Amino acid sequence: MRTLHLGMLAACAVMLAVPVVISSSTAQTPPAAPAAPPPPAPQMPPSIPAANVTDLMTAQGSQAFGAQWKTMEAKIVEAKPIPGAMPQYKTAYDISPKAGDAAFDDSKWPAIEAKDLSARRSGGHVAFIWYRANLTIPARVGDFDTTGAKAVLTVLVDDYAEVWVNGQMPRRAGYPSPATIQGFNMPNRVVLSDSVKPGDRFSIAIFGINGPISVAPANTVWFREAKLEFYR
């Protein structure tokens, strides 16, 4: 009988120890990395005529917003396949540099004049070109008072473009997203702010893409238009 009691006590001790071990193991597991915040929701630009339009492809137009344009070719590079990829995919591909971030260091990039946004860049075929500039809203553009106006950036890149504003590409799956590719030689019209005030600053990064990509065309990447529109 004494042997039976000792066996029962030993079993109870083991059962009590198990939760302690599990608790200790759980406590040592590092917390999961926080999920990346979702991109900003896209906004549709107005369809009414603008109260004021500035051509950013002119020296005067870009200077009005303190914009110094810079550019750099992006290249396709090898990358690791994503987790859960089918085993036959040993290699994946990405682009470099990734220059959409507002804090991206473009200090070593070539500066270009506003008129040179129309220059034909790349060697053709499958090609990608970054363009970056910072736009600062002045108190007035000519006789137009900018305070409280809705600001819309409109760019038309031959052939496609993606537009980053302050380090984000506003988008939502299944919904119109003007900052993403709009179609073959179609403009991107991206709302920068519903109500600007003098001194507001916008970091702009535009990813120009030659296309259609599956055709690998023998043309280049260039701007047909770039303008800042204000609406009341």
Side-chain angles (χ1 to χ4, degrees), residues 139-158:
R140 305 185 73 83
V141 179
D143 295 332
F144 181 78
D145 181 357
T146 61
T147 303
K150 182 190 290 284
V152 175
L153 175 69
T154 294
V155 298
L156 200 170
V157 175
D158 188 320

Side-chain angles (χ1 to χ4, degrees), residues 1-16:
M1 182 67 69
R2 182 176 179 183
T3 302
L4 178 61
H5 285 299
L6 289 173
M8 292 177 65
L9 288 171
C12 289
V14 170
M15 292 178 65
L16 288 171

Side-chain angles (χ1 to χ4, degrees), residues 30-51:
Q43 292 181 264
M44 294 305 296
S47 296
I48 59 174

Side-chain angles (χ1 to χ4, degrees), residues 43-215:
Q43 292 181 264
M44 294 305 296
S47 296
I48 59 174
N52 181 273
V53 180
T54 301
D55 185 356
L56 297 175
M57 294 180 69
T58 67
Q60 183 179 4
S62 277
Q63 287 170 6
F65 299 94
Q68 172 60 76
W69 292 96
K70 294 190 172 186
T71 186
M72 180 62 67
E73 183 180 15
K75 297 184 179 181
I76 298 172
V77 295
E78 289 193 1
K80 291 182 179 180
I82 61 173
M86 296 175 69
Q88 63 265 38
Y89 296 104
K90 306 298 183 184
T91 304
Y93 301 93
D94 205 342
I95 61 106
S96 179
K98 291 189 173 182
D101 192 276
F104 180 85
D105 182 8
D106 61 12
S107 60
K108 296 182 180 179
W109 285 20
I112 61 172
E113 296 182 36
K115 65 181 180 61
D116 288 334
L117 289 172
S118 64
R120 273 59 168 171
R121 300 183 186 278
S122 83
H125 306 296
V126 177
F128 313 97
I129 302 289
W130 280 108
Y131 303 86
R132 286 176 56 88
N134 293 315
L135 305 178
T136 302
I137 304 299
R140 305 185 73 83
V141 179
D143 295 332
F144 181 78
D145 181 357
T146 61
T147 303
K150 182 190 290 284
V152 175
L153 175 69
T154 294
V155 298
L156 200 170
V157 175
D158 188 320
D159 294 291
Y160 309 122
E162 296 175 343
V163 181
W164 294 72
V165 180
N166 295 335
Q168 296 282 354
M169 188 199 309
R171 62 194 187 277
R172 184 180 177 191
Y175 289 80
S177 299
T180 63
I181 293 173
Q182 295 301 289
F184 187 53
N185 270 280
M186 291 183 63
N188 299 75
R189 302 186 63 233
V190 181
V191 176
L192 300 183
S193 173
D194 280 327
S195 179
V196 296
K197 61 183 183 298
D200 283 352
R201 187 171 182 271
F202 300 95
S203 170
I204 305 298
I206 299 166
F207 188 60
I209 305 165
N210 209 23
I213 295 173
S214 59
V215 175

